[in-house]
Amino acid sequence: MSKPVTIRVDDALHALLKERAEAEGTTVTALITRAAHDAVRDPRLEGAAEVFRNFVSDHADAFDQAFPEDAPTRLDAPGRAA
């Protein structure tokens, strides 16, 4: 269930929000909701996806060697077009 939240912004900020929402094909409400989610997101998750990608990239060859049956087809494997 969602709860309504009312905020007051000046005309200039509202115009910027509206312009941004239109450019992104969304609504002012959706922009503000996303900003609210970002404001309360667990800071420990900041950069977590990048850390995970780097870990996988750095250790992919070791995993492939340890578990050859589970190794995915790699797009960067020799003989494959990138």
Side-chain angles (χ1 to χ4, degrees):
M1 169 174 252
S2 63
K3 299 283 185 183
V5 176
T6 302
I7 64 169
R8 298 208 177 274
V9 296
D10 63 31
D11 290 339
L13 178 55
H14 185 263
L16 290 171
L17 287 166
K18 191 172 179 180
E19 182 179 314
R20 176 74 174 263
E22 289 174 1
E24 293 184 15
T26 190
T27 65
V28 170
T29 299
L31 282 179
I32 293 172
T33 301
R34 186 172 63 214
H37 277 286
D38 290 348
V40 298
R41 183 178 47 226
D42 189 334
R44 294 174 296 175
L45 297 178
E46 291 298 321
E50 186 63 27
V51 170
F52 179 74
R53 278 191 219 81
N54 289 339
F55 178 84
V56 169
S57 177
D58 293 346
H59 297 90
D61 292 333
F63 181 90
D64 292 350
Q65 289 173 5
F67 306 99
E69 301 82 30
D70 296 322
T73 302
R74 303 266 306 267
L75 293 177
D76 61 347
R80 298 266 330 227

